[in-house]
């Protein structure tokens, strides 16, 4: 149940950092695999998974020379990521997020996953005021980017 609830949200979280759906799913799955090995020691699974999945994605970006756009389906079972679809508006938001500086992108990704500035700061080893400042800057940048997209040719 936890996996089915969190996996699509975790994929979305990693995508908000700039990953495509396949990279995000790979990072999320790696995080869940690591969590399985040490589940009893994890105090806050939702935050822990996001931290680990983000780090896994960063490591994968550094290692991967040619990203894979297609992942074959495995026989049997149900993959919660299969239900992950973005609307046209969400695609625009994710694209705009990719252009933000990393600290702003992180603050926004945690915020969109319903984490407070204090919780985000704890997971990112930052000051809560710095998280709020990055979140405010991200909102302003996104507002300008999305407004510009809406005013451009369609």
């Amino acid at each position: 149940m936890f996996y089915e609830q969190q996996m699509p949200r975790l994929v979305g979280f990693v995508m908000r950092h700039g990953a495509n759906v396949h990279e995000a799913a790979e990072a999320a799955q790696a995080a869940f695999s690591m969590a399985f090995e040490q589940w009893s020691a994890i105090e806050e699974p939702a935050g822990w998974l996001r931290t680990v999945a983000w780090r896994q994605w960063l490591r994968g970006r550094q290692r991967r020379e040619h990203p894979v756009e297609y992942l074959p389906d495995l026989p049997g079972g149900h993959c919660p990521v299969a239900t992950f679809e973005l609307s046209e508006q969400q695609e625009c938001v994710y694209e705009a997020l990719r252009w933000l500086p990393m600290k702003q992108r992180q603050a926004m990704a945690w915020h969109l996953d319903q984490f407070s500035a204090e919780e985000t700061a704890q997971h990112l080893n930052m000051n809560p005021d710095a998280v709020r400042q990055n979140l405010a800057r991200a909102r302003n940048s996104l507002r300008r980017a999305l407004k510009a997209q809406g005013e451009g040719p369609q």
Side-chain angles (χ1 to χ4, degrees):
M1 184 72 152
F2 182 80
Y3 176 82
E4 290 176 351
Q5 288 176 333
Q6 290 296 314
M7 184 59 152
R9 294 181 68 202
L10 188 56
V11 169
F13 176 82
V14 178
M15 287 178 68
R16 286 191 284 276
H17 283 87
N20 67 38
V21 70
H22 302 297
E23 294 168 335
E26 183 179 323
Q29 188 59 47
F32 266 104
S33 294
M34 293 169 73
F36 179 75
E37 296 171 1
Q38 51 191 327
W39 189 255
S40 61
I42 299 172
E43 292 181 21
E44 189 189 342
W48 188 94
L49 284 166
R50 280 156 181 78
T51 300
V52 172
W54 178 72
R55 289 178 183 160
Q56 287 294 313
W57 173 67
L58 284 179
R59 284 187 196 111
R61 270 181 56 193
Q62 293 168 351
R63 286 190 312 259
R64 191 176 295 118
E65 289 182 21
H66 305 287
V68 176
E69 288 296 326
Y70 170 76
L71 294 177
D73 291 332
L74 297 176
H78 167 72
C79 178
V81 176
T83 62
F84 192 86
E85 291 184 35
L86 296 176
S87 68
E88 187 176 323
Q89 184 179 19
Q90 287 172 315
E91 287 278 354
C92 290
V93 171
Y94 278 69
E95 183 61 32
L97 284 169
R98 286 184 187 99
W99 293 101
L100 292 176
M102 183 59 77
K103 293 289 184 189
Q104 291 178 25
R105 204 177 326 154
Q106 285 179 304
M108 185 58 73
W110 285 87
H111 173 75
L112 292 173
D113 263 14
Q114 315 277 313
F115 285 82
S116 69
E118 289 74 18
E119 291 169 321
T120 300
Q122 181 181 0
H123 289 287
L124 298 177
N125 295 321
M126 293 175 68
N127 182 309
D129 290 333
V131 171
R132 283 188 275 279
Q133 184 178 37
N134 280 301
L135 187 57
R137 289 177 179 165
R139 284 183 178 132
N140 288 334
S141 295
L142 288 172
R143 192 175 298 116
R144 285 191 306 270
L146 294 173
K147 184 178 179 184
Q149 282 180 355
E151 293 173 356
Q154 297 187 8

